Amino acid sequence: MKRVEVLNHKGREIVYIDFSNFEIKDYDEFKATIEDAKNVVKNFPPNSAYTLVNFTNLRFSTQFLAELKELTFHNKPYVKNGAVFGVQGLQKVVFDAVMRITGRDLPILNSKEEGLDWLSEV
C-alpha cells in the first residue's frame, strides 16, 4: 500500500499522506512514511503544495509526535494549504498541540473525499 502519493483531484495536485492504522510497533514504517512525505513535498515550489493527511486510527506515541512536528516544520515553507481527517478523541488534543507548536492551522475534515473537494476549491 502506497502511503504517500500525489493525487489529481478536479485539476489540482494534492499530496495525500496516509498515517492510518499505525501503532507504536510500526515506528519504522511510520518514519519511512515521514521521509517519503518530505521527499515529495520538497519538490514543490515554495507556498504551492496542497496536502491531505489521514490520521484515522493512528496511535500516537512521543516518538510519533516528534516526527510529526518535524514533518510539519519541514513542509511549512512548501505548503499553500492543507487539511486532515480521521482526528478523533484524544488525537484532537495532540493534533491541536502540534498546530500550536508549529504555528500551523489545518482544518479537520470528515473524510478523504471531503478533504480532496475542499482542497480543490481553496
Side-chain angles (χ1 to χ4, degrees):
M1 178 172 113
K2 196 167 189 177
R3 290 207 174 254
V4 179
E5 58 187 321
V6 179
L7 305 175
N8 189 312
H9 187 75
K10 297 182 181 178
R12 176 162 287 162
E13 287 188 333
I14 299 170
V15 180
Y16 176 66
I17 305 167
D18 183 1
F19 292 126
S20 65
N21 301 308
F22 275 127
E23 297 183 17
I24 294 168
K25 66 178 178 60
D26 303 318
Y27 177 74
D28 291 340
E29 184 183 355
F30 181 81
K31 176 73 173 157
T33 303
I34 294 277
E35 293 307 314
D36 288 347
K38 287 179 184 178
N39 288 330
V40 170
V41 170
K42 75 179 181 184
N43 289 312
F44 284 80
N47 197 37
S48 70
Y50 292 83
T51 60
L52 179 61
V53 182
N54 181 355
F55 285 118
T56 305
N57 297 320
L58 171 66
R59 303 289 184 248
F60 283 104
S61 72
T62 54
Q63 285 180 310
F64 281 20
L65 184 57
E67 296 293 342
L68 286 171
K69 285 191 292 190
E70 182 183 326
L71 175 66
T72 305
F73 278 125
H74 173 274
N75 286 357
K76 189 175 182 177
Y78 302 99
V79 175
K80 181 171 185 150
N81 219 325
V84 302
F85 70 97
V87 177
Q88 299 178 25
L90 187 56
Q91 286 178 323
K92 174 102 171 69
V93 174
V94 175
F95 177 79
D96 288 345
V98 171
M99 293 298 99
R100 276 192 310 278
I101 291 166
T102 60
R104 302 284 305 277
D105 185 23
L106 303 176
I108 300 171
L109 302 174
N110 295 315
S111 67
K112 181 178 181 179
E113 195 61 36
E114 183 180 343
L116 291 170
D117 286 344
W118 186 83
L119 287 166
S120 69
E121 296 170 6
V122 292

